[in-house]
Structures are given as structure tokens and as C-alpha cells.
Amino acid sequence: MVKKYTNFLQFVSFLIAFLVWTPKIQAQCAGTDAQKIICDIENPVNQSISLFALLGGTPTPGGTWTDTNNLRGLNPATGMLNAQLISSGGTYQYTYTVTAAGCTVNKATVTLIIGAYSGIGTEATICNDRGEYNLFTVFNSAVMGPHSNGTWRDSAGQIVRSTFTVPKVQVKTTYNFTYTVPPVLECETAPLTSAVEVTVVRKPEAGTPSNKDLCGTTDLGPYTNFDLHDLLSGEDMGGRWSGPGITLPGDHSVNLQQLFNASGPGEYMYTYTVFAVPNQNICQNDVETVIITLEKRLDFTGAKLEVDSDICEDKITTASYTAKITQGPQMIPNGEYEVQYNITGPTVASATVKANFTNGVLVFPLNSNYFRQIGTFSVAVTSIIATAGKKLCTNIIGNLSDDLVISPLPRLDGAVLTTTPVCQNQPATVQISNASLLTNGNYRITYNLTGDNVVTGRTVNIAVSGGNANFVIPASLNVKSGSSAITITSITDITNPTPQCSNVANVKGNQGINPLPDGSTVVVQVENFCFGEPVLVNVSGLGNLTDVTLSYTLSGDNASVLQMVALAVANGKATFVIPQELLLNTGASVIIARNLKNNTTLCDVNLNNVLDTFIINTIPNAPLSVSPQEFCKVERAVIANLTPRGAQYKWYSSATSTTPLASTYVLKSEQLYLRETSAANCTSAPTLVSVVVNDTPAPTLNSGGENFCGLKNPTIADLSKATNVSSTVAWYDAENNGNLLASTTVLKDKVTYYGFDLSTVTDCISDNYLGVTVSLFDCNPEEYTFFIPDGFSPNGDNVNDTFRIPDIEFLYPDYTLEIFNRYGNVMFKGNKNKPNWDGKNSEAAGFGDGIAPNGVYFYVVNFNKDNRRPQQGRLYLNR
């Protein structure tokens, strides 16, 4: 802006400066000092000021200029100055130096005073992604930028930096700032201020992307309508997606299952574009890209692993091994795969190799160092994954394993042969033990027999487990009793078809053969028994045997399959009882001994014509079912009261009891058992008889049921109604042998009545009783008319001979009565136990014979009930 000398003070200041700085006129080469005040620094003319032209005197051209303040804009050779390049108002000095000879004064100074300039503020619109924005760029730079020594303030008046941190506004927002520079007094008296306006608009946001990795084979069920926006966060809606499966401008969902089915595994790229406001070059479109990776799961179900090959231990040092995987029903793509496998067995190891599937077959080597000892090595593939890809799918491996067997040479070194003596013509089992050098499995051995029985080159297969095995010498080779020597000469491992490893052997043992027992002297005898009793069998003729097993059968009225019983023999004899379940019928039966075994040697012989016949007698039938027998408890019934009766009948307390009950046994409710004994002294089975001894509970009295009002003349019927069994209770005047009272019997005070209940179901009277002592004083005075007589005539004619208050003892059982003569002397004191005054003085002496004369007397009645006040009155005695 253009500054003018607008007041007298400015003009005077200039004039003084001019007079002070104007040099004395003298000859000098650099000219004289000069001063210039520029208050309109924004004027374009100030872009090119000739300092040389400002010098006074006659300066000599060709000198050089220096800037005392070291600022921009000065050409030192020409003295031309662009004053608009000076960044703030103030005083600046420039020195002109001439180096020519003969100059009296070779330096002169030009002083410039530059007024303050706050610039021309404008408006600016920026995008909120600018980060920081220089507020000085908002000034109109076509004229001149403001001086830099000013201060920025926001709309609240707070000092701020010139670098504005652009906020991430969500809506268009305008910010106002002011820029103030300090005044230069030669040009202005107050600070200069300019205003700028910055409007921030929101940038389109495509969001923060994330990628999606899925196994296309297993993971896509929830992704048939997958919203691509799920892979962005903070994005503006309304943008446009592009990529596989996007057909319409507004689509943002894709069917990953359908995409995988149609296009298979791969990386699918989707781009989301949020467009800026059209025709506005403030913010740019925002674009983000997401990648969805879909991989295919490989199914090795049905694939086969073959490890080559099994060997005998003598080939360990030279053997090499490979494994081959052959694909199953699912085709496996050709390519490189990472195969992980485990080895378990004598060696435990894990390894990973890379190999190529080619036409459904993958072959990889197995390190022979893993197989350096005897045993079964299980090789199991645990994972097969293509080396290319992100390994998003867990491939189905299934049971992809095979065994590699390194078989030991079979050795019987240290083995022991153990035999158990057998009987003639029976097979013998030979136990092989301590064959610790043999692994579990099947073997073929060759053996010889020498001694009492001879055979050579006999072969047999054995199964070894834990160093133990056995084989059988056929019965046909044990025809002679005595002893045979056994020698195993060779052994071959036949557990696996290949290889079969063989070795020589030299293991020896002995086999004993026991003779058969002699059964020609055996006899069996059985006595006759009652049905159900233990049937004892006597066996004799057993010689010097001590422990035998006899096999037998039954025939006749009782028949059985073959039975076996172990017998302890003493002096050639033994006994046993035939099991009861074999003797279900009476009559004649035959026991037939079939076989005899010596339990010591386990040798047995069949018996011929060793038998006996015995009789099982019939026992009486159990008595017919007897109906429950009922009694009343008060009857005190005993066993003798039960039916049926007779010497053949006995009563028992349980089905297993053998002691009958005494005839005087007092019955109670219980289960008894009746048996009948026959003439043959056989006792029948028990018959269950129920004995029921009925009793009826004694009546119970209702609360307060013993209380009555004597004025109502209560009866036995009223007493019955006060119990829980009003219709069936019977009352007696004594607890034992009392008299039955009629229902109309009038109750008496303080008399005890005894109640028994009669059951209408059992017709039994209760064994216990209810005793009730009756009270007749439970009367309500309000229900009855109560009066006190006003006189009486004690003249002995039996009419009104005593003074008595009618019914008072029922209405007021605790009453008291006092009668006074006209002198206040007490003549009579009464209560319910002494209710009648006979006209005599019964309380005080000194009144002659005590006979009260005719006249008026006074009474006081104390009711002593319900807080009723005493009553006073008079009565007339007339004899």
C-alpha cells in the first residue's frame, strides 16, 4: 500500500533526518550520505531502486556496494536494490565504496527506512489430506507477500504458527486467521493487520484395506454373498468396486463359492474407487485394492504309501530305502510339494522333504540312518502341502502310513523247554520260555524226540510273545509211558512273507508220560431218600488214588447229562451229594459212573457197568391255600385258634424254620407257615398263611369336648359327638368290665366315662380306650334367664324350705354368696358346693339357737365371671 506524509510529525522527522545526514559539501569520490523513506513498499517501483542515484554530492561511478544488514535484493556492482525482497519493515544501510586514487572520502552510506507491510489476504480452499499448510500462501502474491516479522492469530485471538496443521474434517470447514506486523513509526503509528480465510474440504476415503485368505474347498460356505466392504475400514460408501464377479456399478458383494467353482484357486483383486467432487480440483479420487486368495484343499484319502523294503538284520549295513506316495481318487496336480513324515519305532524321528508329484506319484528317499536296528518302523506322512501358495487349506491326509520291518535272525540262545507230564495217548504241550532274543511273531521249528518215544525231523509252527511260545506233541507220539527227550534243531521266522529269516538251534527238554488210572474195581452205592433231601453217593474201590474226578449220568425217573464231581479219596473211598436240580422227580433212578480221572496226574479212564439204583420217596403235598385268618386284638387269640387243626399240622414263623410254634403262642398280624408231615416222616413244603389281628384306635376327644353346660342336660350322645368317631363310640362306666351306657344317659359332673370305638369294617372293639372326666359348668349366661328369689319359708314343709339361686352353679360356677341381717352380721356364706341357706346362722355365734327370725335379710352375690359386678339385694324370710 502507498504511504504518504499525512501529518506534520512525519514531515518534521524527515526534515531533521535530512539536515543531520546531509554532508558538508566537499570534494569526495563516494559522494555524500543519503536517506530515503519508503512507506509504500508494495509499489512495484520499489523492486528496482538505484542506490547510486540516491547518493548526494558527486559520487564517482565504478565503486562497489555492501549491505550492512546482509539482506537479499542488492546487486553490489550496480547498486540496484529490490526492496521488496527485504522481509520486514525497518531501517537498513547500504555503503558505497570507491577505491580510486586521490579520493578524499571513499565511502558513503545510503539509509533506507521501509514501512511495515502486512500483505493482501485472500481465501484458499484445500483438501484435508494436506497435512500442513503454509498460511503465507493465502496472500495475493501478484502484488507482494507480507513482511515476515508479523504474528499469526486464529479466530479466537490465540497466537498460532504460520504452518497450519490441516485437520481431518468430515465436513467442509472454514478457518479465519489474521496476520499483524509491527509499525515503523516513520510510516505508520499502529500495527498493520491482514485477514486470510482457509476452507478445508474432506478428501474422499476409500478406507484402509485388508486382504482375505481362504481355503476355497472348506471355508466358502459363509461367503456366497461376501460384502467386499468387510475388507475395508473407514471407507466412504457410494464408491465403485471393480473386479471378478462385479457386473453392475453398484455391486459390492461377490459369491466366492461360485467364483471358486467357476475359476478355481488363485488371487482375486478388487479395486474400490471413491470419487472426488466433480469439477473441483481440490481433492483427488481415492483408490484402494484388496486381494482375496482362494486355495484348493487336496484330498489324499485313498492314497497309498509304500516303503521299500523289509530286510533281515544281516542286510542293515547295505540297505537303502525309498517311499512312494500314489494318489487316491482325487487327482493331485503336478508340481513340487513339501512332505512331512514321522518315523516311530526303535527310532523316533521327523523329517521334511521336497519332491515332485508327477502323474499322481511322488517318490522320496528315506535316510538309511533312521533304520540301523532291528524292529518295526512305522513311517507316517503327516502333511503334504504344495510349496507354492499360502498354505490356507489343511489337506486331508487320511491314513498314509506303512511299516518297514527289519527282522532279526531268530535265535533260541538261552531258551528253555518246559513240559508238563501227560497221560498215555494224550497230546503234550511244550512251553518255550526265556527266548528273549525272539521278537513277537510266528516261527517254524524242527524238533526230534528220543527215549521211550522216538521221532526225527518233525516241524511245527509256533507263536512267540514276550519270549514265550508253545507247541504240541501229538498224542500219536506219546503212546508209551515214561520219558522222552525233545531237541529243537532249527527255527525260521514266518511272521512276514518276505523276508523269512532262518537260523540253527540246539534247545533241549524232557517230556514225562503218566499211566492211566485203574477203574476196574470202582463201585457206587446210593440209599433211598425223601424228595428234596440231599442224596448221598458212596464210591469205593479207588485203590491208592487220593484226588479224583468222577463223571456220571442219571437215568430212570430222573435223567441227566454228564456230570462231574471232584472227590477227596481216603482208604479207597469217597462220597458226594447229587445236586438237587438233577432230582426233580420221585421214583426209581439209576446212577451210572462213566469216567474216573486222577486229579494228580490228570489221567482218566472210562468206566464200564459201574451203577446203582435208588428210590426218592414222595413227600406230602403242601396244605391247601388257607384264607387269611382274622382276629380282634382284644380276643388274645393263640396258635390253637388257627385252622386246620391236628397233630400232622405244624405252624412255623418262617419258610425255613424247623421248630414249630407253641400252641400258646399269642397271635399278631404276621405271616405264618403251615406244614404237613406224612407217615413216612416226610414234611411238606410250607403254605403261607396270613394272620391278621385287627385293632381299632381308641377314640380321640375334640378340644374342650369334656366341657358341657348342665342346664342343657347333656347325655352320652352329646359326649359321643365330642369325639372323632361320634357314630361308633361306645361308653362304659368303668374301664374293665364296666356297664355299657345308653346314649340317653344324662352326664354327671366330675364323673369319668370310658369310650371304646367299634370298627364297622372289622367288628372289633378298640383295645385301648378314651377316658373323659365331664365338667357341666361350661354355660353362657346370656343364653339363659337368670333371677334371684326374693324370699323363702324354712318351716319344714318341704316347700321352699331353703334359699337357693336357681342354676347359678352352672352359669357362674365360681360364684360366692353372703347373706346379712339388718345389723350387718353375716348369717351365711355359700358357693356351688354350699348353695342352699336353710335360714340358720351358720357363720356367727351369739344368736340363740341360731335360727334366724322372720324378717328382711340382705344378700351380696359375687359372680366372679366375665367381670360382672357383684349384685346386692334383699330377701324375706317367713317361717
Side-chain angles (χ1 to χ4, degrees):
M1 58 181 63
V2 179
K3 307 291 191 301
K4 299 183 181 292
Y5 298 117
T6 57
N7 57 53
F8 178 78
L9 178 60
Q10 289 181 337
F11 175 77
V12 171
S13 297
F14 172 76
L15 181 58
I16 292 172
F18 177 81
L19 293 176
V20 170
W21 289 100
T22 300
K24 294 180 181 180
I25 299 174
Q26 55 180 321
Q28 54 181 10
C29 295
T32 59
D33 296 339
Q35 177 178 338
K36 181 178 178 62
I37 298 174
I38 303 174
C39 292
D40 58 347
I41 188 63
E42 70 275 14
N43 193 323
V45 300
N46 293 318
Q47 294 178 0
S48 181
I49 299 174
S50 174
L51 296 177
F52 187 82
L54 296 178
L55 291 170
T58 307
T60 302
T64 59
W65 290 89
T66 58
D67 180 358
T68 304
N69 301 98
N70 246 350
L71 302 176
R72 297 184 304 158
L74 173 66
N75 187 328
T78 64
M80 296 303 295
L81 174 66
N82 184 350
Q84 289 187 350
L85 295 180
I86 297 173
S87 61
S88 61
T91 300
Y92 303 94
Q93 292 181 337
Y94 299 90
T95 301
Y96 180 63
T97 303
V98 178
T99 59
C103 292
T104 303
V105 178
N106 62 353
K107 289 185 178 183
T109 299
V110 174
T111 299
L112 295 182
I113 298 174
I114 299 175
Y117 181 66
S118 61
I120 299 175
T122 60
E123 298 177 355
T125 301
I126 60 175
C127 193
N128 69 347
D129 64 347
R130 289 290 294 268
E132 291 188 338
Y133 181 66
N134 192 338
L135 294 175
F136 284 107
T137 60
V138 189
F139 287 98
N140 186 348
S141 58
V143 179
M144 172 185 167
H147 284 157
S148 62
N149 62 332
T151 300
W152 285 99
R153 295 181 185 272
D154 59 18
S155 58
Q158 298 296 318
I159 297 176
V160 296
R161 297 184 307 119
S162 62
T163 301
F164 172 49
T165 300
V166 182
K168 292 290 185 178
V169 297
Q170 297 302 309
V171 296
K172 182 178 179 181
T173 306
T174 298
Y175 299 88
N176 293 299
F177 301 93
T178 57
Y179 183 65
T180 302
V181 294
V184 177
L185 296 179
E186 287 80 1
C187 294
E188 52 271 329
T189 59
L192 301 181
T193 298
S194 296
V196 299
E197 183 179 278
V198 178
T199 299
V200 182
V201 297
R202 184 180 179 277
K203 166 187 172 292
E205 289 289 346
T208 301
S210 61
N211 296 329
K212 195 74 174 177
D213 297 332
L214 296 169
C215 179
T217 309
T218 60
D219 297 347
L220 300 186
Y223 296 95
T224 55
N225 188 28
F226 179 59
D227 191 340
L228 293 172
H229 281 294
D230 289 349
L231 297 180
L232 294 174
S233 62
E235 77 274 20
D236 292 343
M237 303 305 291
R240 179 174 296 179
W241 284 95
S242 62
I246 300 296
T247 57
L248 298 175
D251 283 353
H252 55 83
S253 295
V254 292
N255 188 333
L256 298 184
Q257 183 71 70
Q258 187 180 71
L259 184 65
F260 180 77
N261 294 342
S263 304
E267 289 188 348
Y268 297 88
M269 184 176 296
Y270 295 89
T271 300
Y272 183 61
T273 302
V274 181
F275 297 96
V277 177
N279 303 320
Q280 185 186 84
N281 295 323
I282 298 172
C283 297
Q284 302 298 316
N285 295 345
D286 197 19
V287 179
E288 292 292 350
T289 299
V290 297
I291 298 175
I292 299 177
T293 302
L294 304 180
E295 291 187 357
K296 180 181 179 181
R297 181 180 69 180
L298 299 179
D299 189 351
F300 291 91
T301 300
K304 182 178 180 182
L305 175 68
E306 296 177 279
V307 178
D308 188 33
S309 62
D310 297 341
I311 63 170
C312 291
E313 68 172 300
D314 54 344
K315 303 295 191 297
I316 289 178
T317 57
T318 59
S320 61
Y321 312 93
T322 59
K324 180 175 72 173
I325 299 175
T326 304
Q327 68 184 12
Q330 185 181 95
M331 301 296 293
I332 305 302
N334 291 343
E336 185 182 59
Y337 290 80
E338 183 181 274
V339 180
Q340 296 180 2
Y341 64 90
N342 294 334
I343 298 174
T344 57
T347 299
V348 177
S350 298
T352 301
V353 298
K354 292 182 179 180
N356 290 323
F357 254 107
T358 303
N359 299 325
V361 176
L362 182 147
V363 178
F364 62 93
L366 297 174
N367 192 332
S368 61
N369 289 329
Y370 295 147
F371 311 99
R372 289 296 184 182
Q373 53 187 309
I374 296 168
T376 299
F377 299 81
S378 178
V379 180
V381 174
T382 58
S383 175
I384 308 176
I385 302 176
T387 55
K390 296 184 177 181
K391 303 179 181 179
L392 302 177
C393 294
T394 301
N395 295 334
I396 300 175
I397 302 301
N399 184 19
L400 202 55
S401 64
D402 193 20
D403 290 340
L404 173 66
V405 179
I406 300 179
S407 301
L409 294 179
R411 293 182 177 88
L412 283 173
D413 302 350
V416 176
L417 295 187
T418 304
T419 62
T420 300
V422 296
C423 303
Q424 290 174 269
N425 301 320
Q426 290 186 356
T429 299
V430 181
Q431 301 289 337
I432 303 175
S433 62
N434 203 38
S436 57
L437 300 179
L438 293 179
T439 58
N440 295 343
N442 299 318
Y443 297 85
R444 183 173 59 249
I445 61 172
T446 302
Y447 68 92
N448 298 330
L449 293 180
T450 58
D452 291 318
N453 296 285
V454 178
V455 69
T456 60
R458 187 80 176 188
T459 61
V460 66
N461 293 342
I462 62 174
V464 175
S465 176
N468 300 312
N470 63 74
F471 65 94
V472 176
I473 299 176
S476 61
L477 303 182
N478 297 321
V479 294
K480 296 179 181 179
S481 62
S483 179
S484 300
I486 310 166
T487 304
I488 299 176
T489 60
S490 68
I491 181 169
T492 301
D493 187 351
I494 59 172
T495 300
N496 298 308
T498 57
Q500 290 190 352
C501 305
S502 298
N503 203 357
V504 296
N506 184 23
V507 182
K508 296 182 179 182
N510 292 306
Q511 174 65 56
I513 303 173
N514 294 317
L516 301 178
D518 182 8
S520 61
T521 60
V522 176
V523 175
V524 294
Q525 291 179 321
V526 183
E527 301 295 333
N528 297 333
F529 294 90
C530 290
F531 182 79
E533 291 181 344
V535 176
L536 184 67
V537 180
N538 295 299
V539 184
S540 61
L542 298 175
N544 59 359
L545 298 174
T546 59
D547 186 11
V548 299
T549 295
L550 180 70
S551 299
Y552 67 92
T553 60
L554 298 177
S555 63
D557 290 323
N558 292 287
S560 75
V561 297
L562 187 67
Q563 305 293 311
M564 291 184 291
V565 59
L567 303 175
V569 181
N571 300 320
K573 297 179 180 180
T575 61
F576 70 94
V577 175
I578 298 174
Q580 189 66 43
E581 61 268 18
L582 301 180
L583 304 173
L584 302 178
N585 302 304
T586 60
S589 299
V590 179
I591 182 171
I592 306 170
R594 300 291 186 180
N595 181 272
L596 180 66
K597 182 175 70 173
N598 184 344
N599 290 338
T600 302
T601 64
L602 300 181
C603 297
D604 67 297
V605 64
N606 292 330
L607 303 176
N608 295 314
N609 200 31
V610 180
L611 52 87
D612 192 24
T613 301
F614 60 94
I615 303 296
I616 297 180
N617 296 313
T618 302
I619 64 173
N621 292 327
L624 295 177
S625 176
V626 179
S627 299
Q629 300 190 39
E630 296 191 25
F631 302 91
C632 292
K633 185 177 181 180
V634 296
E635 296 173 348
R636 301 294 187 268
V638 295
I639 289 291
N641 297 116
L642 295 172
T643 58
R645 299 182 179 91
Q648 72 273 31
Y649 296 109
K650 303 294 181 182
W651 296 88
Y652 300 86
S653 60
S654 70
T656 59
S657 176
T658 59
T659 303
L661 297 172
S663 62
T664 57
Y665 174 82
V666 178
L667 300 176
K668 59 181 180 295
S669 292
E670 58 187 326
Q671 303 288 338
L672 297 181
Y673 295 85
L674 176 63
R675 294 180 184 269
E676 182 179 352
T677 302
S678 69
N681 205 28
C682 291
T683 302
S684 72
T687 296
L688 176 66
V689 178
S690 293
V691 176
V692 178
V693 177
N694 295 310
D695 189 18
T696 300
T700 58
L701 188 67
N702 298 336
S703 178
E706 72 278 10
N707 297 318
F708 298 90
C709 180
L711 298 178
K712 294 182 178 180
N713 295 318
T715 65
I716 285 294
D718 296 315
L719 182 58
S720 296
K721 292 177 183 178
T723 68
N724 64 319
V725 287
S726 59
S727 62
T728 58
V729 64
W731 296 94
Y732 294 83
D733 57 8
E735 57 183 289
N736 293 315
N737 301 319
N739 297 310
L740 179 64
L741 301 176
S743 62
T744 57
T745 302
V746 177
L747 300 179
K748 297 180 179 180
D749 188 47
K750 292 186 176 60
V751 173
T752 300
Y753 300 89
Y754 300 89
F756 297 81
D757 189 19
L758 176 64
S759 172
T760 59
V761 176
T762 64
D763 289 331
C764 290
I765 195 166
S766 61
D767 193 46
N768 292 320
Y769 62 84
L770 168 66
V772 180
T773 301
V774 170
S775 172
L776 299 180
F777 300 108
D778 188 21
C779 299
N780 185 359
E782 296 180 358
E783 296 181 4
Y784 301 93
T785 301
F786 175 76
F787 75 99
I788 299 175
D790 58 1
F792 73 112
S793 57
N795 54 12
D797 61 357
N798 295 324
V799 177
N800 202 21
D801 279 341
T802 62
F803 177 76
R804 175 186 176 90
I805 302 175
D807 302 328
I808 189 171
E809 67 272 20
F810 297 111
L811 299 177
Y812 301 98
D814 296 324
Y815 83 96
T816 60
L817 170 65
E818 291 182 301
I819 298 177
F820 303 86
N821 61 17
R822 59 181 180 174
Y823 303 109
N825 297 318
V826 177
M827 303 295 291
F828 176 77
K829 290 184 178 181
N831 53 36
K832 68 178 180 180
N833 297 318
K834 185 181 176 183
N836 301 325
W837 183 41
D838 58 2
K840 294 181 180 180
N841 179 8
S842 60
E843 298 298 324
F847 291 92
D849 55 4
I851 297 175
N854 291 344
V856 176
Y857 292 84
F858 302 91
Y859 64 83
V860 175
V861 179
N862 294 296
F863 297 98
N864 297 322
K865 182 177 179 181
D866 298 333
N867 295 321
R868 181 170 178 175
R869 297 177 61 186
Q871 182 174 335
Q872 300 177 358
R874 63 183 181 177
L875 62 90
Y876 185 75
L877 187 155
N878 184 22
R879 294 185 182 276

